[in-house]
Amino acid sequence: MRQRQPAADRKAQIVAEVLRLADEAGPDRLTTSDVARAVGISQPAIFRHFPSKGAMWVAVSDAVAERFAAEWDHAEAAASEPSARLRGLIATQLTILSETPALPHLLFSRELQADNPDLRNAFGRLLASFHARLVAAIRPLQAGGRLRADLSPEDVAVLLTSLVQGVAIRWSLGARSWPLVPEGLRLFDLQLSLLGAKPGGAGAF
């Protein structure tokens, strides 16, 4: 007789399968029947763990947010100075996106944009948290003259966030035919060199 998995383990398995299947089929085409089949349980069993499909997606966002936060913490703790902290945050973001390729699709899915406001709000909070960490890393670089001080650190953070999102979308549309992390970091370094260029002088970064 097959032993029943603990509820927490089963939920984690469901979340992992949702992300895998969302990459293969697209978030908007994914059904609870697909997830149940992949996990090896009945469709009603899905709803013993999550009261609705929307709640299942929110659990996915919670798991994603937990991973991002843990990896961001690790990157910041490992950094010896502000520029390494900033680069570590960007590298972490790119690495997680490359390892969870469903995420760029999910950001532009109907599930997030129209059908599930809780999911949209969860990803909004995740983006706001990343933005705040970038701002905290940018401020000392500006104060030390290593980035232009005449720019709003919030605007610089938006530029860097947009760079990550843009390169991830280009990677996804390009059938992932090139490595995301090195390309993203190359463009990050280029962006910083442009932001470090002071009027009438050489770049400071």
Side-chain angles (χ1 to χ4, degrees):
M1 183 176 180
R2 188 171 64 180
Q3 188 175 9
R4 178 177 295 181
Q5 276 190 305
D9 292 347
R10 180 65 80 189
K11 285 183 177 181
Q13 184 184 13
I14 291 170
V15 165
E17 286 301 319
V18 168
L19 285 170
R20 184 182 69 81
L21 293 170
D23 178 42
E24 291 182 358
D28 297 329
R29 297 179 61 186
L30 185 63
T31 69
T32 52
S33 294
D34 296 330
V35 178
R37 190 178 307 112
V39 174
I41 59 178
S42 66
Q43 185 186 24
I46 293 286
F47 296 108
R48 288 200 291 269
H49 296 284
F50 305 103
S52 65
K53 183 181 178 184
M56 181 181 72
W57 275 112
V58 171
V60 170
S61 72
D62 289 343
V64 168
E66 184 177 339
R67 181 184 177 190
F68 272 114
E71 295 293 334
W72 292 336
D73 286 345
H74 178 74
E76 290 181 319
S80 58
E81 45 89 25
S83 63
R85 178 183 178 189
L86 185 60
R87 199 172 202 274
L89 288 169
I90 297 297
T92 295
Q93 200 80 347
L94 291 164
T95 299
I96 295 178
L97 288 172
S98 71
E99 295 174 352
T100 318
L103 292 178
H105 298 300
L106 184 56
L107 290 176
F108 295 97
S109 68
R110 180 176 176 82
E111 181 70 37
L112 183 141
Q113 295 294 336
D115 294 344
N116 194 332
D118 289 336
L119 181 64
R120 183 174 65 250
N121 291 337
F123 272 90
R125 289 191 298 271
L126 183 64
L127 181 60
S129 178
F130 183 58
H131 182 268
R133 290 182 188 240
L134 292 180
V135 168
I138 290 164
R139 289 188 190 280
L141 291 172
Q142 291 181 312
R146 301 188 66 191
L147 286 177
R148 284 178 50 176
D150 60 329
L151 301 175
S152 159
E154 289 79 11
D155 286 346
V156 174
V158 169
L159 286 174
L160 295 179
T161 301
S162 299
L163 183 151
V164 171
Q165 293 172 340
V167 75
I169 292 169
R170 184 163 62 86
W171 172 72
S172 184
L173 292 175
R176 305 167 196 162
S177 57
W178 38 269
L180 174 61
V181 178
E183 175 66 0
L185 289 176
R186 182 185 72 82
L187 293 173
F188 165 75
D189 290 337
L190 175 60
Q191 180 71 82
L192 282 192
S193 70
L194 296 173
L195 292 173
K198 296 181 178 180
F205 198 88

